[in-house]
Amino acid sequence: MEFREKEILRLRQQGIEEKYHSIYDSYVFIGRQYIEFTMQDIYPPVVRIMLPKFFMDMPSTLAKQKYPSEHRPTVIKTSPDLSINFAFQYFEKNIAEEDIPKAARYYYSMFQKCYPGYDYLDFDQCFRGDKDEVLAWYIYSNPTITDVVFNVHAFMAVEGHLLQGIFNAPEKSFYEWKPYITEIFKSVTSARDN
């Protein structure tokens, strides 16, 4: 009887994942948790992005520990347990859409030179939105004392300025979130367009 109940639960879970598979659905199921995404202003009145509704601003004391450089991202959203993070930096310098992949490659090669011991997993790009806007990203992992942390650094232009987005999570959580990361970064838009 126990086997049958487990099979029913597995099939129910599979059905939920098939029905709710986009951040634009009423919710998605990530790591045994129902997560609702909402459009949020991260650099008002310019940049908006779909993020989990329950994510909060990382307290500044913790942000200084997690991102010790003085050039840390200016916006850091985190899960309540502080394990899943989205961070953003909006630059004032103008950038053309065709220069986004070049900027991503520059950061990617600089990172590889500074941190040769990290495991570099992927570099890719795609279009976002209906305006042929470019999204470029790379993925790497780095060991920590307690776990391996996976990082995605994404680059795009909003109103002609470079926006860098960062996602990081422990290895297990990364693979649970991976199907949604590109969709989240592709959701970036100018608040003035709405």
Side-chain angles (χ1 to χ4, degrees), residues 5-170:
E5 289 174 4
K6 285 183 180 180
E7 184 63 18
I8 291 169
L9 288 174
R10 187 189 68 73
L11 290 171
R12 181 182 293 160
Q13 178 63 37
Q14 183 179 346
I16 289 170
E17 289 173 5
E18 287 173 4
K19 183 176 180 184
Y20 300 101
H21 61 276
S22 169
I23 61 172
Y24 295 99
D25 291 334
S26 52
Y27 61 85
V28 292
F29 195 77
I30 303 174
R32 297 183 180 183
Q33 192 173 21
Y34 292 97
I35 298 177
E36 181 182 351
F37 283 79
T38 60
M39 188 60 80
Q40 299 177 29
D41 293 322
I42 57 170
Y43 287 100
V46 184
V47 182
R48 305 185 87 207
I49 186 171
M50 292 286 284
L51 289 173
K53 190 174 185 177
F54 65 90
F55 272 37
M56 59 189 182
D57 291 327
M58 181 178 277
S60 61
T61 54
L62 293 171
K64 288 176 185 175
Q65 291 174 359
K66 182 152 184 75
Y67 301 94
S69 167
E70 289 183 22
H71 303 290
R72 76 185 57 83
T74 53
V75 174
I76 306 169
K77 299 288 188 177
T78 188
S79 58
D81 68 357
L82 307 174
S83 66
I84 315 294
N85 302 290
F86 284 94
F88 303 92
Q89 183 67 44
Y90 189 61
F91 297 91
E92 291 301 315
K93 188 170 172 115
N94 290 345
I95 190 166
E97 284 293 330
E98 60 269 15
D99 291 333
I100 295 294
K102 292 179 209 168
R105 286 212 179 275
Y106 171 78
Y107 277 91
Y108 182 64
S109 63
M110 186 176 68
F111 232 80
Q112 286 179 310
K113 288 176 186 168
C114 292
Y115 305 101
Y118 290 1
D119 190 11
Y120 295 90
L121 307 167
D122 192 16
F123 182 97
D124 209 348
Q125 64 189 50
C126 65
F127 288 107
R128 60 184 184 87
D130 55 358
K131 300 177 187 174
D132 292 335
E133 298 165 322
V134 178
L135 170 65
W137 69 91
Y138 58 87
I139 303 172
Y140 68 93
S141 66
N142 63 294
T144 65
I145 294 171
T146 57
D147 206 341
V148 174
V149 174
F150 281 72
N151 303 269
V152 178
H153 287 209
F155 301 84
M156 63 218 86
V158 179
E159 294 193 2
H161 297 281
L162 179 65
L163 175 69
Q164 180 185 18
I166 299 169
F167 169 83
N168 57 54

Side-chain angles (χ1 to χ4, degrees), residues 172-186:
K172 180 179 184 241
S173 298
F174 172 77
Y175 286 107
E176 294 167 345
W177 280 80
K178 190 176 181 188
Y180 305 98
I181 296 168
T182 303
E183 187 179 21
I184 292 167
F185 284 127
K186 284 173 81 171

